[in-house]
Amino acid sequence: MAVVGRAVLVVALLTTLFGITAALYGARHGRRDWVDAGRRSVYALAVILTVAFALLEVAFIDNDFAFNTVANDSSLTTPLFYRAAAMWGSQEGSLLLWVWLLSLWSSLAVFLTRNRLREVVPYAVSVLLGFGAFFTSLLVFFATPFGTTTPAPTNGVGLDPLLRNPSMMIHPPMLYSGYTFFTIPFAFAVGALITRRVDAEWIQVARRFALASWLFLGVGILLGARWAYSEIGWGGYWGWDAVENAALMPWLISTAFLHSIMIQEKRGMLKIWNASLVLAASTLAILGTFLVRSGILSSIHAFGASTLGIPFVVLIAVMVIGSIYLVVSRRDVLRSEHRLDSLFSREAAFMLNNVLLVGLTFVIFWGTFFPLISEVATGTQSVVGTPWFDRYTVPLALMLVLLSGIGPVIPWRRATLAKARRNFALPLVAAAAMLIASFTVLPISSSVPTVALFCCVAFVFASVGQEFWRGWRARRATSGDSPPRALISMVRRNRRRYGGYIVHVGLAVLFVGVAASSTFSRTQFVNLQKGQSTVVGGYKMTNVRPTAAIVTDPTSTGALLTLGVIMRVTHDGRYVTTLHPVAQYYDDETGGEGPVGSLIGGDSVSTLSLHSSFRRDISAAIDAPDIQSELQGEINHANTLVLDERSEGAVAQTKLSYYLLAAIAGGYVRHPPAAPLKLASSPLVMWLWLGALVVFAGGLIAIWPTAGVSGRVRARYLARVAHELGRA
Amino acid sequence: MTVVLGILAITVLLVFIIWFVSGPLRHPASAAPTQNSQQRALEAARDAKYAEIRDTELDYRTGKLSEEDFRTLDRQLRAEAVEILRSLDKLR
């Protein structure tokens, strides 16, 4: 199997090399047949890598420990669900996932453009296959997922317990889909610049692919944040970690691109800027991939030090230098067709939005790479933390939220003062009302940035609400539709506009969650004996009783021992919820701790118990007690008892080990030490998740394919334009 | 036995890939005809212009443009659409 896997990867590499050559030859000599052979190479690559992916998946599911990746990232006690996802817990497996997704999305892009952008596609195919060749080469020469050991070990090390979370199945594939999707707008931008075809057709294609990558990467980031929030070891939903930042940067740049490409589409302006943005977004996506894999920056998400750094640096250098060369050498076709008519126009608002988004990206880039920059400058690595990021990102984020409310109410080209006064009245009143409420009704006046954000959010809600109301009223007047039908047809006929507005509202809601939860969360680290209570943010939390379970892990992650506490939560004497935080202990596959000690000698993980509501999240986590040292005497005694029964055989010994572990756990429950707890009360966290869902719903509406202009509408415009033509 | 099966599987995969990828080279006539690229670009520009006309109309109906501004802008956009249609006609 391993030999077949290695051979399949070599075939994949040869296919990419052939495809690149065929597509370029076809483009240079006008040979459609060679271009089509290149295009088919993309589909073939997807088939070949699907075979490779399936081979490795089968090895994981079958516990084939002859494969080094399986032995390092799975074990007999790893549940099937996590064995299926364990592949991307390793450097090699995740690289295979990366290039497999790249091949799938590339195939989709090549298929969707089969009858479009005839001159551009051959170069785009070459670039996509170039990425395929790069990553396949890494798998063939640097990090093969099909490496083997003979004789095969009888068991593996097991998947890192921190990765045993249902999100493991979906978060990495979504994040990688986002990263790999970014190569598509990059490839088509390179093709368009080489062939000097930065026209309306390219804009259509680039915008759609950029939106898809924005959507995928956004969902991937959200799933990661949700996972980090539920797992104590990851440090909350956002920790300004290098790898988190690396995913955010291309997302921000593509957000800027999605706005500024509209200026190019409508006014023929900002062509150099747009080409630069789309190329930069993809380069940042590869930079993010590099950060995860090279181990150059310390991150809890990274795979650690590896030999992949230099190939990635070469790839990034080629992308940066090539992009600069293309933009500079094609500046004649990238010249703007118009100038900005007025500083008070939607174009100007979009430009400001771009400046802010790029500024935000620069701040994050600087903070992320500061350890390297400081090492080069001073010889010692310095790290910037959350306060540093907050100092610069909060004002920029505030301005962005405000702009997302201003943009929808001003027209393209030029706004008049009279109209502006009318359109800004309601949003300004809403913001003023929120300001008053902040100092009277809402308990947020202690934080000026939060008050400012809430006012901006009120402004956005009012401006977008006003837009929906007026659009709906106009639609009803012209079509005579029923109210719900008018709303649906209004959105359906203007998906980009109203999808975008929904995204703005979603972001505003998301920021409310972020601001409130990061400013007004209350956290306590406390040791509570059975029956003791403490109050966190007005909520009384009582340690009711300890719990212990062996083998029957309630979260099905394969933990052999689970210790926890039942916590009762009340507010003003009223029952709110019962929480059950647990610490899970995993086995030590090496067996070095003795027959009983090894059952719990591996890593331990604390899982948050969460009560989520629209107003507040109440959570409790138990810091995994170090039972290896606390119960050392009992475990040593149990080990001796099991080893004394050697004559009874391995099965009897294993049974006895579990019985003794149960006895130790029972003793722990009868005489529990004070539970080390992290208790928190965080307001409006659910708004963050709901806001993100609204953002993605808006994105889906905006990306949903329209049937072009409908037949009836097209006929109407054709008639109008024909009338003009007759007069001209 | 496993090795033989492995070699067989790889050979089958390789043959299939070569057959599939070289299809257009063996049958050049089967390559799908595509429209003139300039025509496609103009059609995309035309659709974008129609969308812009609709956007402007919606801006007017939602109170962002005065009637005078709307008339001027609409006339300008339609003139641009006419130019695109003329260019398309020349190509056909």
Side-chain angles (χ1 to χ4, degrees), chain A residues 536-561:
Chain A
V536 182
Y539 288 78
K540 185 179 177 189
M541 300 186 173
T542 307
N543 177 350
V544 178
R545 62 182 169 84
T547 64
I550 68 158
V551 185
T552 51
D553 167 19
T555 52
S556 305
T557 60
L560 293 181
L561 175 65

Short mmCIF file of all heavy atoms in Angstrom, two decimals, chain A residues 536-561:
data_model
loop_
_atom_site.label_atom_id
_atom_site.label_comp_id
_atom_site.label_asym_id
_atom_site.label_seq_id
_atom_site.Cartn_x
_atom_site.Cartn_y
_atom_site.Cartn_z
N VAL A 536 -19.51 34.72 40.47
CA VAL A 536 -18.79 35.25 39.31
C VAL A 536 -19.77 36.07 38.48
O VAL A 536 -20.74 35.51 37.95
CB VAL A 536 -18.20 34.10 38.45
CG1 VAL A 536 -17.40 34.68 37.29
CG2 VAL A 536 -17.34 33.19 39.28
N GLY A 537 -19.51 37.35 38.36
CA GLY A 537 -20.37 38.23 37.56
C GLY A 537 -21.83 38.17 37.99
O GLY A 537 -22.72 38.21 37.13
N GLY A 538 -22.07 38.01 39.27
CA GLY A 538 -23.45 37.97 39.77
C GLY A 538 -24.06 36.57 39.78
O GLY A 538 -25.19 36.40 40.22
N TYR A 539 -23.33 35.58 39.30
CA TYR A 539 -23.85 34.20 39.25
C TYR A 539 -23.17 33.37 40.34
O TYR A 539 -21.93 33.35 40.43
CB TYR A 539 -23.59 33.58 37.88
CG TYR A 539 -24.49 34.16 36.82
CD1 TYR A 539 -24.20 35.41 36.26
CD2 TYR A 539 -25.64 33.51 36.41
CE1 TYR A 539 -25.03 35.98 35.31
CE2 TYR A 539 -26.48 34.06 35.45
CZ TYR A 539 -26.16 35.30 34.90
OH TYR A 539 -26.99 35.86 33.97
N LYS A 540 -24.00 32.71 41.16
CA LYS A 540 -23.45 31.88 42.23
C LYS A 540 -23.19 30.48 41.68
O LYS A 540 -24.09 29.84 41.13
CB LYS A 540 -24.44 31.83 43.40
CG LYS A 540 -23.91 31.09 44.61
CD LYS A 540 -24.95 31.10 45.72
CE LYS A 540 -24.46 30.30 46.92
NZ LYS A 540 -25.51 30.12 47.91
N MET A 541 -21.98 30.01 41.85
CA MET A 541 -21.61 28.69 41.32
C MET A 541 -21.18 27.80 42.49
O MET A 541 -20.27 28.16 43.24
CB MET A 541 -20.48 28.82 40.31
CG MET A 541 -20.84 29.69 39.12
SD MET A 541 -19.53 29.65 37.92
CE MET A 541 -20.24 30.53 36.56
N THR A 542 -21.82 26.65 42.59
CA THR A 542 -21.58 25.75 43.72
C THR A 542 -21.04 24.41 43.23
O THR A 542 -21.59 23.82 42.28
CB THR A 542 -22.91 25.50 44.48
OG1 THR A 542 -23.47 26.78 44.79
CG2 THR A 542 -22.68 24.71 45.74
N ASN A 543 -19.97 23.96 43.88
CA ASN A 543 -19.43 22.62 43.60
C ASN A 543 -20.34 21.61 44.30
O ASN A 543 -20.29 21.47 45.52
CB ASN A 543 -17.99 22.54 44.12
CG ASN A 543 -17.39 21.15 43.92
OD1 ASN A 543 -18.08 20.19 43.57
ND2 ASN A 543 -16.08 21.04 44.17
N VAL A 544 -21.21 20.94 43.54
CA VAL A 544 -22.20 20.03 44.13
C VAL A 544 -21.54 18.70 44.51
O VAL A 544 -21.65 18.24 45.64
CB VAL A 544 -23.37 19.78 43.16
CG1 VAL A 544 -24.38 18.80 43.76
CG2 VAL A 544 -24.05 21.10 42.84
N ARG A 545 -20.83 18.10 43.56
CA ARG A 545 -20.18 16.82 43.85
C ARG A 545 -19.18 16.49 42.75
O ARG A 545 -19.33 16.97 41.61
CB ARG A 545 -21.20 15.70 43.98
CG ARG A 545 -21.99 15.42 42.73
CD ARG A 545 -23.02 14.33 42.94
NE ARG A 545 -23.94 14.26 41.81
CZ ARG A 545 -23.70 13.61 40.69
NH1 ARG A 545 -22.57 12.96 40.53
NH2 ARG A 545 -24.58 13.59 39.71
N PRO A 546 -18.19 15.66 43.07
CA PRO A 546 -17.25 15.24 42.03
C PRO A 546 -17.82 14.08 41.22
O PRO A 546 -18.74 13.41 41.68
CB PRO A 546 -16.04 14.79 42.84
CG PRO A 546 -16.60 14.32 44.13
CD PRO A 546 -17.83 15.14 44.39
N THR A 547 -17.29 13.89 40.03
CA THR A 547 -17.70 12.73 39.21
C THR A 547 -16.44 12.05 38.68
O THR A 547 -15.38 12.68 38.55
CB THR A 547 -18.54 13.16 37.99
OG1 THR A 547 -17.71 13.97 37.14
CG2 THR A 547 -19.78 13.93 38.40
N ALA A 548 -16.59 10.77 38.37
CA ALA A 548 -15.48 10.02 37.75
C ALA A 548 -16.07 8.94 36.87
O ALA A 548 -17.10 8.37 37.19
CB ALA A 548 -14.59 9.41 38.82
N ALA A 549 -15.45 8.72 35.73
CA ALA A 549 -15.91 7.65 34.84
C ALA A 549 -14.69 7.03 34.19
O ALA A 549 -13.75 7.75 33.83
CB ALA A 549 -16.83 8.22 33.79
N ILE A 550 -14.68 5.70 34.08
CA ILE A 550 -13.58 5.09 33.34
C ILE A 550 -14.14 4.46 32.08
O ILE A 550 -15.25 3.95 32.06
CB ILE A 550 -12.76 4.07 34.16
CG1 ILE A 550 -13.58 2.84 34.49
CG2 ILE A 550 -12.17 4.69 35.40
CD1 ILE A 550 -12.67 1.67 34.81
N VAL A 551 -13.37 4.53 31.03
CA VAL A 551 -13.67 4.00 29.69
C VAL A 551 -14.88 4.71 29.06
O VAL A 551 -14.81 5.14 27.91
CB VAL A 551 -13.89 2.46 29.70
CG1 VAL A 551 -14.06 1.95 28.27
CG2 VAL A 551 -12.72 1.77 30.37
N THR A 552 -15.98 4.87 29.82
CA THR A 552 -17.18 5.48 29.23
C THR A 552 -17.02 7.00 29.17
O THR A 552 -17.65 7.73 29.92
CB THR A 552 -18.42 5.14 30.07
OG1 THR A 552 -18.11 5.47 31.44
CG2 THR A 552 -18.81 3.70 29.96
N ASP A 553 -16.15 7.45 28.28
CA ASP A 553 -15.91 8.87 28.09
C ASP A 553 -17.16 9.51 27.47
O ASP A 553 -17.57 9.13 26.38
CB ASP A 553 -14.69 9.03 27.16
CG ASP A 553 -14.53 10.43 26.65
OD1 ASP A 553 -15.11 11.35 27.25
OD2 ASP A 553 -13.81 10.59 25.65
N PRO A 554 -17.80 10.45 28.15
CA PRO A 554 -19.04 11.01 27.63
C PRO A 554 -18.88 11.73 26.29
O PRO A 554 -19.83 11.87 25.53
CB PRO A 554 -19.48 11.99 28.72
CG PRO A 554 -18.27 12.25 29.54
CD PRO A 554 -17.40 11.05 29.44
N THR A 555 -17.66 12.19 25.99
CA THR A 555 -17.47 12.91 24.73
C THR A 555 -16.89 12.03 23.62
O THR A 555 -16.56 12.51 22.55
CB THR A 555 -16.55 14.12 24.94
OG1 THR A 555 -15.35 13.67 25.59
CG2 THR A 555 -17.20 15.19 25.78
N SER A 556 -16.76 10.72 23.90
CA SER A 556 -16.30 9.74 22.90
C SER A 556 -14.98 10.12 22.24
O SER A 556 -14.83 10.02 21.03
CB SER A 556 -17.36 9.57 21.80
OG SER A 556 -18.58 9.24 22.35
N THR A 557 -14.04 10.59 23.04
CA THR A 557 -12.75 10.94 22.45
C THR A 557 -11.69 9.88 22.72
O THR A 557 -10.54 10.03 22.34
CB THR A 557 -12.23 12.28 23.02
OG1 THR A 557 -12.08 12.13 24.44
CG2 THR A 557 -13.16 13.42 22.72
N GLY A 558 -12.09 8.82 23.42
CA GLY A 558 -11.15 7.74 23.69
C GLY A 558 -10.41 7.91 25.00
O GLY A 558 -9.43 7.20 25.25
N ALA A 559 -10.86 8.84 25.86
CA ALA A 559 -10.20 9.01 27.17
C ALA A 559 -10.57 7.82 28.05
O ALA A 559 -11.71 7.37 28.05
CB ALA A 559 -10.67 10.31 27.82
N LEU A 560 -9.59 7.31 28.81
CA LEU A 560 -9.86 6.14 29.65
C LEU A 560 -10.33 6.54 31.04
O LEU A 560 -10.93 5.73 31.74
CB LEU A 560 -8.61 5.27 29.73
CG LEU A 560 -8.23 4.62 28.40
CD1 LEU A 560 -6.99 3.75 28.56
CD2 LEU A 560 -9.36 3.79 27.84
N LEU A 561 -10.04 7.75 31.46
CA LEU A 561 -10.52 8.22 32.76
C LEU A 561 -11.00 9.66 32.61
O LEU A 561 -10.34 10.48 31.97
CB LEU A 561 -9.38 8.17 33.79
CG LEU A 561 -9.70 8.75 35.17
CD1 LEU A 561 -10.77 7.94 35.89
CD2 LEU A 561 -8.44 8.82 36.03
#
